[in-house]
Amino acid sequence: MKKKLILVLIALVLLALPAVALADTGGTAEAAVADILIENAVNIIAAFFIALIGVFGAWLTAKLGKATQLDTVNRAQQELIKLAQITVGELKQTVVDGMKAAHKDGRLTKEEITQLGQLLFDKTTAKLSASAMDVLTAAQVDVSALITGAAEQLIAGMK
């Protein structure tokens, strides 16, 4: 409480000093008061604009941070999709063709498709960088669904 009272008294003294100084110049009291009011108004407006610049800077920083975050998530998703597509090609050459050849009709069973899906997920996530996985996890991206969707799109294009 004492600190606030001292600050108020200091502010009053600082406002009164220009009036006292102008009183000795021989100017009129009305002109001195008007000058003090104009000076204080200019100071208040300047403080307002400085605060406004600070608020605008904070808003702009938040917007740029959000754009950067979205760009980072997008890059991590693109990395995951690319790795899923590469893994689909690898599995086709190393596993799928052999599985299909083992059946007379050349079709995979539901169990084999489930195994391939798990193998695809495991191999793709093993290749994914830790930072990309962290970004996708933080952004709450369904990694499994993204891998499955990329694989299904690639497989549909192969047929």
Side-chain angles (χ1 to χ4, degrees):
M1 182 70 174
K2 288 183 181 181
K3 288 182 181 180
K4 289 181 184 178
L5 182 59
I6 290 173
L7 288 175
V8 169
L9 289 175
I10 290 172
L12 287 174
V13 168
L14 290 175
L15 290 174
L17 281 178
V20 172
L22 288 174
D24 289 340
T25 62
T28 63
E30 292 174 5
V33 171
D35 289 342
I36 291 171
L37 290 176
I38 290 172
E39 183 180 339
N40 287 338
V42 168
N43 288 337
I44 291 170
I45 291 171
F48 172 75
F49 279 114
I50 290 171
L52 189 63
I53 290 170
V55 170
F56 177 72
W59 174 80
L60 186 60
T61 301
K63 286 292 182 184
L64 291 175
K66 186 70 171 173
T68 302
Q69 180 185 14
L70 291 175
D71 185 48
T72 304
V73 171
N74 187 36
R75 287 177 194 232
Q77 285 179 331
Q78 294 305 315
E79 179 183 344
L80 181 65
I81 290 168
K82 179 180 166 190
L83 290 174
Q85 292 171 342
I86 291 170
T87 306
V88 165
E90 290 172 357
L91 288 175
K92 182 179 182 328
Q93 290 178 350
T94 59
V95 179
V96 175
D97 291 341
M99 287 178 154
K100 284 184 176 181
H103 297 288
K104 290 179 184 178
D105 62 357
R107 294 186 177 257
L108 299 174
T109 65
K110 294 225 183 239
E111 293 152 358
E112 289 172 329
I113 293 172
T114 303
Q115 285 177 335
L116 284 171
Q118 186 60 44
L119 193 58
L120 173 67
F121 178 80
D122 292 342
K123 286 187 171 274
T124 302
T125 54
K127 293 176 188 175
L128 187 64
S129 67
S131 61
M133 182 60 94
D134 291 343
V135 167
L136 293 172
T137 303
Q140 298 179 347
V141 172
D142 187 351
V143 174
S144 179
L146 192 58
I147 291 171
T148 303
E152 287 178 357
Q153 181 184 14
L154 185 64
I155 292 168
M158 288 179 179
K159 290 183 179 180

